[in-house]
């Protein structure tokens, strides 16, 4: 159901401070995320192997996690280091007691968790997705929102160009009246596809603000990541929208924005409000959609506006097949131009 052997966006780095731990259900599993006093992040199953209570109810001293029930202690790799009830002479190999730990990586303000068979730190795994080049741009905005739907509907909603003028109507973005025909070049990329770098359409006020003939490139990659890379002769703005299944019927969408535009930074609170509103519009429409989906209707994908959605399903199928057959993933997408009105 959910793609395996792949990195998922787990949470924004800033949600996990040094010496802190937190619980989050991801891909149907309870996960304890922690960050040591030295700043190193880790993730393990949030279940005590003794009697099953979530370890996150216990204490974390910045080095080890202590269960709240009987005080067993675990290091950041999930290995038991102490069982307080043992008396002298009662020999017990603590190292046999292990909480499953999950490979976790941190880069550019994102924590990525591996969903697959690898355990521990997973040294042999491929690197997590890279945020497009941004020399000294920093992450300025993080918005997290939960969508009441499965991952597919959240992802398809992200890459659906035809909903913009209906769902995201606003003076600063676009309206139905600004709809016009578009033709964009697409090409396959690593684990996905891209809308090739181009001048964004003139109906977007937000792009105009940046000035200096902005160009944009939009990349999608499995399992549900959308990178928008906007450049002008001087500046770069990067948006990452990351979709992570929490459990069946619940998906988290994280929207992160990075930039190196000095004059934009004072407007961060305003831009954050816009980003939030944008995301909420997407969530609200998906919520309404659930009313119909509850009756399991058959759905349609229409050329060319829904071609990206179709590609997503093709990519997923191929990913699943490749990992089942233990062979490399072969990107099924062919370069082509898509045309639609939006
Ligand atoms: S349940 Fe965790 S130490 Fe007993
Ligand atoms: Fe949207």
């Amino acid at each position: 159901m959910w793609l395996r052997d792949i990195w998922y966006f787990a949470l924004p780095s800033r949600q996990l401070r040094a010496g802190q731990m937190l619980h989050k259900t991801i891909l149907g599993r309870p996960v304890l995320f922690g960050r040591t006093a030295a700043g190193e992040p880790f993730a393990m199953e949030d279940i005590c192997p003794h009697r099953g209570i979530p370890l996150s109810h216990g204490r974390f001293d910045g080095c080890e996690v202590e269960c709240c029930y009987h005080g067993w202690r675990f290091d950041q790799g999930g290995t038991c280091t102490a069982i307080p009830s043992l008396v002298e002479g009662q020999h017990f190999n603590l190292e046999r007691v292990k909480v499953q730990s999950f490979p976790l990586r941190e880069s550019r303000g994102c924590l990525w968790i591996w969903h697959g068979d690898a355990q521990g730190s997973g040294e042999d795994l491929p690197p997590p997705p890279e945020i497009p080049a941004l020399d000294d741009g920093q992450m300025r905005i993080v918005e997290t929102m939960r969508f009441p739907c499965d991952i597919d509907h959240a992802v398809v909603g992200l890459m659906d160009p035809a909903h913009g003028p209906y769902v995201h109507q606003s003076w600063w973005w676009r309206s139905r009246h600004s709809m016009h025909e578009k033709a964009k070049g697409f090409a396959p990329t690593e684990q996905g596809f891209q809308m090739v770098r181009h001048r964004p359409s003139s109906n977007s006020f937000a792009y105009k603000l940046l000035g200096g003939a902005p160009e944009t490139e939009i990349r999608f990659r499995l399992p549900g990541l959308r990178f928008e890379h906007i450049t002008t002769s001087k500046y770069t703005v990067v948006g990452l929208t990351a979709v992570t299944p929490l459990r069946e019927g619940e998906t988290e969408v994280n929207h992160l924005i990075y930039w190196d535009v000095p004059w934009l930074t004072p407007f961060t609170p305003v831009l954050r409000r816009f980003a939030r509103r944008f995301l909420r519009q997407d969530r609200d429409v998906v919520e309404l959609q659930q009313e119909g989906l509850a009756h399991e209707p058959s759905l349609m994908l229409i050329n060319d506006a829904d071609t990206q959605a179709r590609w997503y399903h093709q990519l997923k199928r191929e990913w699943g097949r490749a990992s089942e057959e233990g062979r490399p993933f072969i990107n099924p997408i062919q370069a082509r131009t898509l045309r639609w009105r939006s």
Side-chain angles (χ1 to χ4, degrees), residues 122-261:
E123 287 95 17
D124 311 333
L125 298 175
E130 212 173 300
I131 314 282
L134 188 71
D135 296 336
D136 46 16
Q138 294 203 3
M139 184 169 58
R140 308 287 179 177
I141 292 177
V142 183
E143 277 303 328
T144 304
M145 211 169 276
R146 298 204 166 169
F147 283 37
C149 66
D150 288 329
I151 180 170
D152 289 354
H153 287 293
V155 170
V156 164
L158 268 186
M159 57 175 51
D160 159 18
H163 77 291
Y166 293 89
V167 174
H168 301 299
Q169 283 185 53
S170 55
W171 62 268
W172 55 275
W173 186 245
R174 55 176 61 143
S175 73
R176 275 178 224 207
H177 306 293
S178 67
M179 271 177 84
H180 64 260
E181 190 171 320
K182 288 175 187 155
K184 310 268 173 159
F186 284 81
T189 55
E190 195 193 353
Q191 295 179 18
F193 56 86
Q194 64 170 335
M195 184 190 286
V196 181
R197 184 162 292 284
H198 64 284
R199 292 269 168 88
S201 55
S202 51
N203 64 1
S204 160
F205 175 71
Y207 280 128
K208 267 189 216 148
L209 261 183
L210 266 183
E215 289 190 340
T216 181
E217 176 195 281
I218 299 175
R219 283 177 181 240
F220 172 80
R221 66 180 279 169
L222 293 174
L225 306 170
R226 179 189 191 271
F227 297 96
E228 181 158 9
H229 189 192
I230 305 165
T231 46
T232 69
S233 51
K234 271 174 141 164
Y235 303 125
T236 304
V237 178
V238 175
L240 163 60
T241 314
V243 182
T244 308
L246 301 183
R247 49 174 72 80
E248 225 174 294
E250 192 177 24
T251 298
E252 189 172 270
V253 180
N254 278 277
H255 189 56
L256 288 72
I257 309 178
Y258 304 70
W259 65 70
D260 59 6
V261 193

Side-chain angles (χ1 to χ4, degrees), residues 48-53 55 67-72 74:
C48 180
H50 183 213
R51 294 265 257 287
I53 199 165
L55 287 166
C67 181
C68 70
Y69 206 168
H70 312 93
W72 292 22
F74 301 88

